[in-house]
Amino acid sequence: MTDHAFFMAKAYDQALASYQSGGVPVGSVLVRGGEIVGEGHNQRVQKSDPIAHGEMDCLRRAGRQRSYRDTVIYTTLSPCMMCTGTIILFKIPTVVIGECVNFGGNEQLLRDRGVNVIDLKDPRCIELMARFIRERPDIWNEDIAE
């Protein structure tokens, strides 16, 4: 049995690191066979990189993988269209989401493409993102292209 709470806590730590360094608090962890393959966080602000979302940073840090079909990606916030497309492209079979209260991503699109989507409704993820949106609406709106 996979310990979703354990790996989401690791993703949350990444989100918190981003928040503490002035960035958007989204963290992600890629797991294979109960082991972390890669972890990362949103670095759009820190690196001035418009595509450095949490999931993208995590996948970059994981490096090249022969296949993703035996992995699970954890993300503190529901994936945006770009990250959703990457998950579908790489055929990652399961996405565990910390929350989709503050931002409803593309859960149904993922499901329609055969991806198992698990929403943990994690209170820490919900609160951290809500806090960030209150404190930095300008950066949040930039992040979601509003």
Side-chain angles (χ1 to χ4, degrees), residues 17-33:
S18 184
Y19 175 80
Q20 290 171 338
S21 63
V24 180
V26 177
S28 184
V29 176
L30 184 68
V31 175
R32 174 182 286 120

Side-chain angles (χ1 to χ4, degrees), residues 5 26 34 40 54 66-67 79 143:
V26 177
R66 182 179 173 113
S67 174
D143 195 65

Side-chain angles (χ1 to χ4, degrees), residues 11-72:
Y12 177 84
D13 289 345
Q14 288 289 316
L16 189 58
S18 184
Y19 175 80
Q20 290 171 338
S21 63
V24 180
V26 177
S28 184
V29 176
L30 184 68
V31 175
R32 174 182 286 120
E35 299 290 326
I36 294 174
V37 177
E39 55 190 339
H41 58 81
N42 188 302
Q43 296 197 55
R44 291 184 72 253
V45 173
Q46 299 91 323
K47 292 186 174 180
S48 192
D49 180 346
I51 62 170
H53 284 202
E55 299 90 336
M56 304 304 254
D57 186 52
C58 172
L59 292 168
R60 278 187 181 127
R61 290 179 185 215
R64 291 177 55 203
Q65 302 291 313
R66 182 179 173 113
S67 174
Y68 295 86
R69 293 178 189 214
D70 59 347
T71 63
V72 175

